[in-house]
Amino acid sequence: MEYELDMSNYGGIMRKILYIFIGCISLGLGIIGVILPILPTVPFVLLAAFCFASSSERLENWFKNTKLYRGNNIKSGMTKQAKIRIMCSVTLLMSIGFIMITRLNYDKAAKQYLIAAAGIVLCLVIPIIIRKVRFLSEWRILYGIVGIVSLAVVVVVGRVSYGAMLGFTVAGINIQPSELVKIVFVFFVASSFKRSTEFKDLVVTTVVAAFHVLILVVSKDLGAALIIFVVYLVMLYVATHQPLYIFAGLGAGSLGAVAAYHLFTHVKTRVNVWRDPFGTYDNGGYQVAQSLFAIGTGGWFGAGLYQGQPDTIPVSAEDFIFSAISEEMGLIYAMCLILICVS
């Protein structure tokens, strides 16, 4: 008797084995990360959970029937109660931020008030515009051009700040185009994927997205480059449901991170500071070390508003306001803020 090999079945089995293999490796790295802080635990554990669920239909069906999945997979949209909870959390976080930044720098706080007011108005207006203006999804080329040109302007006329060209100043106002480009880039990718998700069109979209990342790398704004890269990777998976793209993107991102470490001095310095801020105290670790001192000085209950010394932390109002909050409000208060953010 001759047996014919079912290639589709064979491919499904190999795919399951690959998922199990990657899941085991990710789970092992996550467990090691509990002991060694150099490895991040949560991303590896999440990747392991995804791989294990994808390797077995029975396990996937079981997970979809759990209360955790059903409670967070709301197909009919957010309920009124959920919206109220989100608004309360956002209002609380904004209020805490306003209090602390006013304590640190009143002039910056006044600008933040204006920005917050403008942001609230935009939040009310933009949903109406999206519902009324149907042709926004047709402006794919415009979104791409605006994003690339905005980033290119920074490369030409931008000023260097802490090793990176982040923006430029007009009439005393600091303009950072990469913040706007993050939104325009989402519009570009969404309109491109709505138009077509065929492979040849995906290649074109990927090239344009890579051009965004490349310009940011040239300007050494690696934080924004990482955000653009991750956003594109997530949107690509949502549009195509192809795990291969995720694995390919993670591999390319890992190679890019290693290359950035060896090519850019300030990236190597930041990695060394992250690994040992006290050992690099005089070589880039001063800011992080001072922030950790502030958190430790505040203790569980804090020194009290205006009773701490957050001014000893360089650029505390922009980069390390969490440390200032921890010092004066206490570690318990700061931990509650984290729980509100992740809730």
Side-chain angles (χ1 to χ4, degrees):
M1 182 180 294
E2 297 182 357
Y3 295 91
E4 294 183 358
L5 182 62
D6 188 348
M7 295 304 295
S8 61
N9 187 37
Y10 177 77
I13 294 174
M14 293 302 297
R15 188 181 299 110
K16 291 181 180 180
I17 294 175
L18 178 63
Y19 276 128
I20 293 174
F21 177 73
I22 297 175
C24 291
I25 293 178
S26 301
L27 182 60
L29 293 174
I31 294 174
I32 295 174
V34 176
I35 304 173
L36 299 177
I38 193 173
L39 289 175
T41 301
V42 176
F44 285 118
V45 173
L46 291 176
L47 179 59
F50 168 78
C51 291
F52 287 141
S54 300
S55 66
S56 171
E57 293 182 4
R58 181 180 299 178
L59 181 59
E60 184 179 6
N61 292 332
W62 169 82
F63 177 70
K64 288 182 177 180
N65 289 325
T66 60
K67 185 178 179 181
L68 176 65
Y69 181 85
R70 288 182 296 170
N72 291 278
N73 189 29
I74 304 174
K75 296 182 179 180
S76 59
M78 295 173 56
T79 63
K80 183 178 181 180
Q81 186 178 8
K83 294 179 181 179
I84 292 175
R85 284 201 299 266
I86 292 177
M87 289 301 299
C88 289
S89 299
V90 171
T91 303
L92 175 62
L93 294 174
M94 287 182 61
S95 299
I96 296 169
F98 284 146
I99 292 172
M100 185 52 61
I101 199 170
T102 302
R103 178 256 183 276
L104 294 173
N105 191 313
Y106 183 82
D107 293 334
K108 291 181 179 179
K111 292 182 180 179
Q112 291 298 318
Y113 288 136
L114 295 176
I115 294 173
I120 292 173
V121 173
L122 288 176
C123 287
L124 296 174
V125 173
I126 288 178
I128 299 175
I129 295 177
I130 293 177
R131 285 199 301 266
K132 299 294 185 181
V133 184
R134 298 293 183 179
F135 53 83
L136 288 176
S137 61
E138 306 299 328
W139 293 354
R140 177 176 60 94
I141 298 177
L142 177 63
Y143 299 142
I145 294 175
V146 169
I148 292 175
V149 171
S150 299
L151 296 178
V153 169
V154 177
V155 177
V156 177
V157 301
R159 58 185 179 84
V160 178
S161 177
Y162 300 101
M165 287 185 288
L166 302 178
F168 49 89
T169 303
V170 176
I173 301 175
N174 184 31
I175 299 176
Q176 193 169 342
S178 62
E179 299 299 328
L180 175 63
V181 171
K182 292 172 186 176
I183 301 175
V184 176
F185 179 77
V186 171
F187 276 73
F188 164 73
V189 177
S191 59
S192 298
F193 289 163
K194 180 183 178 182
R195 179 174 176 267
S196 174
T197 55
E198 294 184 3
F199 181 75
K200 62 179 182 179
D201 296 315
L202 291 178
V203 171
V204 175
T205 306
T206 302
V207 170
V208 177
F211 205 59
H212 282 74
V213 175
L214 181 62
I215 296 176
L216 288 169
V217 170
V218 171
S219 62
K220 298 182 180 180
D221 190 359
L222 302 183
L226 178 62
I227 293 175
I228 293 291
F229 174 76
V230 172
V231 166
Y232 179 71
L233 206 60
V234 172
M235 296 183 70
L236 178 62
Y237 176 74
V238 171
T240 61
H241 298 286
Q242 291 290 338
L244 180 62
Y245 293 146
I246 292 291
F247 296 137
L250 291 175
S254 300
L255 293 176
V258 174
Y261 177 80
H262 291 286
L263 290 175
F264 301 109
T265 305
H266 71 287
V267 174
K268 184 179 293 187
T269 300
R270 291 182 180 182
V271 172
N272 294 333
V273 169
W274 170 71
R275 295 178 61 184
D276 187 6
F278 299 106
T280 57
Y281 187 83
D282 295 325
N283 190 24
Y286 177 78
Q287 186 185 34
V288 177
Q290 287 295 111
S291 69
L292 294 175
F293 286 142
I295 294 174
T297 302
W300 289 107
F301 302 101
L305 196 61
Y306 279 91
Q307 302 303 311
Q309 294 181 316
D311 296 334
T312 60
I313 307 173
V315 204
S316 58
E318 291 85 359
D319 295 344
F320 282 89
I321 193 169
F322 179 80
S323 300
I325 293 174
S326 300
E327 181 182 10
E328 298 198 341
M329 302 296 188
L331 190 57
I332 295 177
Y333 190 90
M335 292 173 64
C336 290
L337 291 182
I338 296 176
L339 292 176
I340 293 173
C341 288
V342 300
S343 64

